């Protein structure tokens, strides 16, 4: 991919996401794409990664060969007001107003941790991924799904909150794919096996 932003010439709606990321707390693997026909897809960090403040030290980690559809959102800790308190009001943010110690600003939220997206994951139109969620390799997140819990590899989920619909393949094939990790192959090997990948011929890949 050599640092290029647009995978297709004359198509400015799809970007290689890794090459438009500037923030150190967002990590994206090779060949992962983001499509946006409403906003400039290069503004992914601003428009799609929400409430992601450095003070929390949480990360968005996305694997290789993922496909992220227009409007998908990643909701981080600072949008998650604490429920440990008697009030959900974020007093610690306004430490000047209430004469509080600014070192305790993170008490305003319940920090559930990183969002981790595996490899070859397809995230559908306007899906929302909540803080602390891990999505396994090969999973599919349906249109406008609200993902509040971890998603196993090669599982299709949908709805609000998102629930499993079905597995993409048999347990045997899923195990082989997770062992194979084709997304980590050298580019030339992937290129030589694209036909087998597309027709679902796992035996040819083995």
């Amino acid at each position: 991919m050599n640092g290029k932003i647009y995978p297709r010439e004359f198509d400015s709606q799809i970007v290689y996401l890794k090459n438009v990321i500037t923030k150190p707390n967002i990590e994206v693997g090779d060949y992962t794409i983001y499509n946006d026909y409403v906003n400039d897809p290069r503004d992914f960090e601003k428009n799609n990664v929400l409430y992601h403040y450095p003070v929390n030290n949480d990360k968005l980690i996305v694997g290789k060969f993922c496909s992220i559809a227009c409007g998908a959102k990643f909701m981080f800790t600072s949008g998650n007001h604490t429920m440990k308190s008697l009030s959900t009001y974020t007093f610690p943010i306004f430490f000047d107003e209430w004469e509080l110690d600014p070192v305790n600003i993170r008490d305003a939220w319940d920090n559930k941790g990183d969002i981790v997206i595996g490899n070859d994951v397809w995230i559908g139109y306007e899906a929302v991924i909540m803080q602390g969620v891990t999505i396994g390799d090969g999973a599919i997140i349906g249109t406008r799904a609200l993902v509040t819990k971890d998603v196993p590899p090669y599982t299709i989920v949908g709805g609000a909150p998102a629930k499993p619909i079905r597995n993409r393949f048999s347990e045997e094939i899923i195990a082989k794919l997770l062992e194979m990790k084709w997304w980590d192959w050298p580019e030339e090997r992937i290129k030589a096996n694209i036909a087998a990948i597309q027709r679902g011929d796992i035996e040819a890949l083995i």
Side-chain angles (χ1 to χ4, degrees), residues 14 23 27 45 49-50 57 59-60 87 91-92 94 98 101 114 129 132-133 138 165 182 187 195:
I14 300 175
K23 296 180 179 178
E27 302 172 12
E45 291 173 317
V49 185
L50 307 181
N57 299 315
K59 293 184 176 181
L60 172 59
S87 172
F91 286 105
F94 311 111
W98 298 99
D101 188 339
D114 301 338
I129 317 298
V133 165
I165 297 171
W182 65 262
E187 182 179 303

Side-chain angles (χ1 to χ4, degrees), residues 129-135 141 146-152 157 161-163:
I129 317 298
M130 298 300 289
Q131 60 273 359
V133 165
T134 294
I135 297 176
I141 310 303
L146 173 61
V147 184
T148 61
K149 296 180 179 178
D150 292 353
V151 178
V157 301
K163 298 183 183 306

Side-chain angles (χ1 to χ4, degrees), residues 61-191:
I61 302 170
V62 183
K64 302 174 182 177
F65 292 96
C66 293
S67 304
I68 303 175
C70 181
K73 299 288 194 294
F74 301 85
M75 184 77 71
F76 275 87
T77 284
S78 300
N80 185 39
H81 295 201
T82 184
M83 292 195 289
K84 298 173 186 173
S85 169
L86 295 179
S87 172
T88 59
Y89 190 78
T90 51
F91 286 105
I93 294 177
F94 311 111
F95 50 83
D96 288 337
E97 179 75 12
W98 298 99
E99 299 179 5
L100 300 173
D101 188 339
V103 76
N104 296 322
I105 190 172
R106 286 187 291 182
D107 291 345
W109 315 291
D110 294 334
N111 192 337
K112 297 187 178 180
D114 301 338
I115 295 176
V116 181
I117 312 298
N119 303 281
D120 192 25
V121 172
W122 174 18
I123 299 176
Y125 174 74
E126 290 189 346
V128 177
I129 317 298
M130 298 300 289
Q131 60 273 359
V133 165
T134 294
I135 297 176
D137 296 326
I140 297 175
I141 310 303
T143 294
R144 290 182 172 160
L146 173 61
V147 184
T148 61
K149 296 180 179 178
D150 292 353
V151 178
Y154 290 96
T155 302
I156 302 171
V157 301
K163 298 183 183 306
I165 297 171
R166 64 178 175 85
N167 291 341
R168 291 181 58 196
F169 307 110
S170 68
E171 291 185 9
E172 179 184 7
I173 290 177
I174 289 173
K176 288 179 179 179
L177 286 166
L178 293 175
E179 181 180 4
M180 181 185 303
K181 298 183 185 297
W182 65 262
W183 45 81
D184 287 335
W185 290 354
E187 182 179 303
E188 288 305 314
R189 185 179 178 189
I190 294 173
K191 190 179 296 184

Side-chain angles (χ1 to χ4, degrees), residues 6 12 15 34 36-44 47-48:
Y6 301 106
S12 60
V15 294
Y34 173 60
D36 199 321
Y37 56 84
V38 177
N39 300 300
D40 188 333
R42 294 174 298 178
D43 291 333
F44 176 86
N47 295 330
N48 303 77

